[in-house]
Amino acid sequence: MEKKQKIRLQNTGFAVIGAIFINILLGYSHLRGMVTLTDSSLLIFLGLFWLCNGIFVWALMSGYSERFKDPSLTKAQMFWAVSTTVISMSVSTSDPAPYYFLIFTTLVFGTLKLRPIEYSRFGVYCIVVLAGHTLFRQYQFPEGDTLWLIFVWLTFTFCVYISAVLCRSLAVIRSKLKDKNTQLQHALESKSLFLANMSHEIRTPINGVIGMMRILNKSNLNGHQQRQLNLAEDSANLLLAVINDILDFSKIEAGMIQVESVEADLSDQLSHVIQAMAHTAQEKGLEITLDMTDINIQKVKYCLLYTSDAADDSLRV
């Protein structure tokens, strides 16, 4: 199941939980004799209620919702939730506060899911249907407290207005984050392009240097010159490896890197590193000593000392 489908089913799950709460409220009101419907009428109402909820879930799980402009059916479910809550509140004579709370929860959910213009329409719908419920309740119970019902409705209207402002603010924040993410993506792409171009530009002269060293290596050189040329070639190859690593970083960001397992002789690699650093150490009067243990737990000691007092100024190992 794809990620978007999981999110849609999660939203539907929230709606089902709200529907269960409505059923609990109606069941409690029925047990206390505070429902205006008969037993058969209440069963028919609940049956139709769950039938519609089942249709929503089926549309999401089957992918049929993809045919609509709103594939997640978020708006449809929110309108359905408010409508059924108001109808349930109308057939019950119990305290309407829990029903208002469910509607307000739906409003809060809408601030995260709807665009400001869509949320404004939904808020107006909530205000209108609740105003109709207030008039219906006053008609049904003339002896009720009219001022209290009007006060509750005005309070809810104010909450809708605040929620609409919050929805607009969240939309602005999301828009800014989207712009920042776009800029960051462009910056990362530019960096990757720069690394790729730079590595290619540097590798060209490095390959030329290595090529000339290989040609020079075929000429007549004495032992001292041969060792110096080998050290220079090893350093050039090491520099080329670093440049290739830089190119690999850009490949990693592009998702094009391929990892492979290659056997290497650690002793040989470390010896090349020590030899490349020997000349610099000799200039500073330092001695480089490499002490390592191989996989056979055999202790091997390499003592590399670049001496200037030798006849051929050679490297002793």
Side-chain angles (χ1 to χ4, degrees), residues 78-79 81-83 86 89 100 102-104 106-108 114 118-134 153 156-157 160:
M78 291 178 63
F79 278 100
V82 172
S83 300
V86 173
M89 187 166 44
Y100 273 93
L102 289 174
I103 295 175
F104 183 74
T106 306
L107 282 168
V108 174
L114 300 182
E118 295 174 339
Y119 189 82
S120 299
R121 295 170 182 171
F122 176 69
V124 171
Y125 174 77
C126 293
I127 293 172
V128 170
V129 295
L130 285 174
H133 168 265
T134 301
W153 179 80
F156 182 83
T157 302
V160 172

Side-chain angles (χ1 to χ4, degrees), residues 13-24:
F14 293 150
V16 171
I17 293 174
I20 293 175
F21 276 116
I22 292 178
N23 280 251
I24 293 174

